[in-house]
Amino acid sequence: MNKQGKIALIAILSAVLGAVSSAVIWLILKVMSLGMDFLWTILPAKLGAEHNLAYMLAVTIIGGIIIGLWQKKFGLLPEELPQVMGRVKKEGSYPYDNLHILIVSALLPLIFGGVIGPEAGLTGVIVGLCCWIGDRLKCKGDELAALAQSSMGAALGVIFNAPFFGIVRNLGIDREEEKKKHSRVRLVGKPTRIFIYCMGAAGGIATFAGLGALFGGGSGLPRFAAKHTISWIQWAWFLGIVAAAILAGLCYLFFAKFSSKLGEMLQSHRVASCVLAGVCIAVGAYFLPLTTFSGEHEMGELMGSWTEYSAKILILTALAKMLLINLCVQLGWRGGSIFPLIFSGVAAGYAFAALTGIDPNFAVAAMTAGLYGYISRKPVMTVAVLLMCFPPVYIFPLAGAAFIVSKTPIPKKLRETEKNCG
């Protein structure tokens, strides 16, 4: 087959794999939703234990024991999103001999209430599945890498309901490889690779939307309304919001460093480590209920009722969420940080609006972009992922905050921590 034929075939395979990936993700998320509903809604209602600390502790401690024993047998899984992407970038493939173990490893911390997102575990599963199919089709080298990156982009697009997020991530991988002058010969140039990534994302989004329409279920954060106030008052506070976002980002990185040290101390005591994480989750959920889970549902609640909370409670909620993200990941409840980190930015943004009286949606957009952009150091990717919940009318506060904070240096002592975040 000539080069053009190979490109056409890979584009078609990308769309098919995107569809397969979205179907697998939909099924796993459905199982996750059923498990969470049973443990956190149905069972406590039957026992009369809604928002009961003893019940919360029982669930999370049992979860910690199960997760700890599982990890003692199979290792510290799932890998975080940067690790998954790093292996694809470096090796052009991802191991797929333990997909069933990856699926269980991804589901356990989510079902038992971990303050994490599903993207890390699900992306590893999807990339592994794609590489298994690619090997069966005898794809090699750049062909397999293109399929792996396309399926990864489709998976991220489906999970976040933001097609451009996965594409931007893949383009970031391409740029890093070009900087390193990778010796592997490219099958296709960047424009064609973008087309392949788009085909994968299109197949994934269409299939996921179809399954959601037929059987229910879905993912992604709620969207803010397009209506907002634009005036000089909002922009007068803009640099203040950015400064607050940088301060919040420093808190996140400090929590990450602290949690990493704690995780290193307990790494040979896997069950105890996971139980400690479970206790922290339960205590956080009891005293600050909005810190629970990854944050999609709680963000919807906050959008409709943020005025009922004081600025102090909103700030404490944001800080507690950032601490719990890191404690979960470093103590063994492995998962993604993007969803809960966005929730933290939203809570902090509402707190800023409560203190200053400015338009809340403007404050939330700038604060969330500033916090996520400071940690990820990737402003274009930050805007791409946040457009899943902010309409395009917010592009200026989103882009402005993301680009400013990405140029703000990180203290040397926290710089190594930043490399492992987001």
Side-chain angles (χ1 to χ4, degrees):
M1 186 180 295
N2 59 27
K3 183 176 180 179
Q4 288 72 25
K6 286 185 177 181
I7 292 172
L9 178 60
I10 290 175
I12 294 170
L13 285 175
S14 294
V16 173
L17 285 173
V20 172
S21 299
S22 68
V24 173
I25 290 172
W26 179 88
L27 182 60
I28 294 175
L29 290 176
K30 196 70 174 177
V31 172
M32 178 195 77
S33 179
L34 292 172
M36 291 173 67
D37 283 345
F38 175 75
L39 280 180
W40 297 100
T41 303
I42 297 172
L43 189 57
K46 288 185 177 296
L47 297 175
E50 296 98 330
H51 199 67
N52 181 281
L53 180 59
Y55 178 82
M56 294 176 177
L57 285 168
V59 171
T60 55
I61 288 174
I62 292 171
I65 293 171
I66 294 172
I67 294 168
L69 292 173
W70 181 265
Q71 290 184 354
K72 285 187 71 173
K73 183 173 178 62
F74 297 109
L76 197 57
L77 296 170
E79 291 184 319
E80 295 177 72
L81 185 56
Q83 293 175 295
V84 175
M85 298 182 72
R87 294 188 69 168
V88 174
K89 177 178 66 176
K90 182 179 179 180
E91 303 169 14
S93 184
Y94 194 77
Y96 50 76
D97 56 344
N98 62 342
L99 290 181
H100 58 297
I101 295 171
L102 285 177
I103 291 173
V104 176
S105 299
L107 281 173
L108 283 176
L110 292 167
I111 290 173
F112 280 101
V115 184
I116 50 174
E119 67 272 14
L122 292 183
T123 304
V125 171
I126 295 308
V127 173
L129 177 64
C130 166
C131 291
W132 179 82
I133 294 173
D135 281 349
R136 296 302 176 279
L137 296 174
K138 301 190 183 303
C139 297
K140 296 179 180 179
D142 200 54
E143 300 171 13
L144 184 58
L147 286 176
Q149 291 181 9
S150 176
S151 69
M152 179 171 60
L156 291 171
V158 165
I159 294 167
F160 291 99
N161 195 26
F164 293 113
F165 177 43
I167 296 170
V168 171
R169 278 259 189 188
N170 281 336
L171 293 178
I173 292 175
D174 289 344
R175 282 195 297 271
E176 290 178 24
E177 289 184 347
E178 288 172 5
K179 286 180 182 178
K180 294 179 180 179
K181 297 182 179 179
H182 205 287
S183 60
R184 176 162 52 84
V185 177
R186 286 291 190 192
L187 172 69
V188 295
K190 182 178 288 187
T192 306
R193 293 178 78 84
I194 293 174
F195 171 67
I196 290 171
Y197 300 153
C198 289
M199 288 289 288
I205 294 293
T207 302
F208 197 81
L211 288 171
L214 288 172
F215 304 106
S219 65
L221 293 168
R223 287 186 66 81
F224 286 83
K227 182 180 179 181
H228 70 295
T229 303
I230 300 179
S231 71
W232 67 270
I233 296 176
Q234 322 305 329
W235 286 102
W237 282 104
F238 180 71
L239 290 180
I241 299 172
V242 170
I246 292 171
L247 182 60
L250 288 171
C251 289
Y252 180 90
L253 294 176
F254 173 78
F255 292 151
K257 190 175 184 67
F258 164 76
S259 302
S260 178
K261 295 292 184 184
L262 184 59
E264 289 175 7
M265 291 171 54
L266 296 173
Q267 62 183 350
S268 58
H269 305 282
R270 183 50 55 199
V271 175
S273 173
C274 291
V275 167
L276 177 59
V279 171
C280 293
I281 292 167
V283 172
Y286 181 75
F287 289 103
L288 294 167
L290 290 174
T291 61
T292 53
F293 311 117
S294 62
E296 301 101 304
H297 177 71
E298 291 71 28
M299 182 170 150
E301 286 187 15
L302 197 57
M303 288 167 64
S305 62
W306 71 273
T307 54
E308 299 175 11
Y309 299 92
S310 67
K312 180 174 73 172
I313 292 297
L314 291 169
I315 292 171
L316 286 174
T317 296
L319 292 173
K321 190 85 168 180
M322 292 191 288
L323 174 60
L324 287 171
I325 299 167
N326 287 292
L327 286 174
C328 283
V329 172
Q330 298 298 336
L331 295 181
W333 290 55
R334 309 280 284 185
S337 62
I338 296 176
F339 274 138
L341 188 58
I342 290 173
F343 173 87
S344 297
V346 170
Y350 280 133
F352 197 96
L355 290 170
T356 61
I358 65 172
D359 179 76
N361 290 351
F362 180 93
V364 167
M367 181 69 73
T368 307
L371 174 58
Y372 185 46
Y374 186 72
I375 293 168
S376 71
R377 317 304 290 177
K378 298 173 182 175
V380 176
M381 187 189 73
T382 298
V383 174
V385 69
L386 290 181
L387 283 175
M388 68 181 170
C389 49
F390 291 98
V393 294
Y394 293 96
I395 190 67
F396 292 112
L398 289 175
F403 277 93
I404 290 172
V405 299
S406 67
K407 303 301 181 183
T408 306
I410 291 176
K412 187 176 180 180
K413 290 184 178 180
L414 297 176
R415 206 168 294 156
E416 190 62 34
T417 304
E418 171 264 331
K419 293 179 182 178
N420 300 317
C421 296

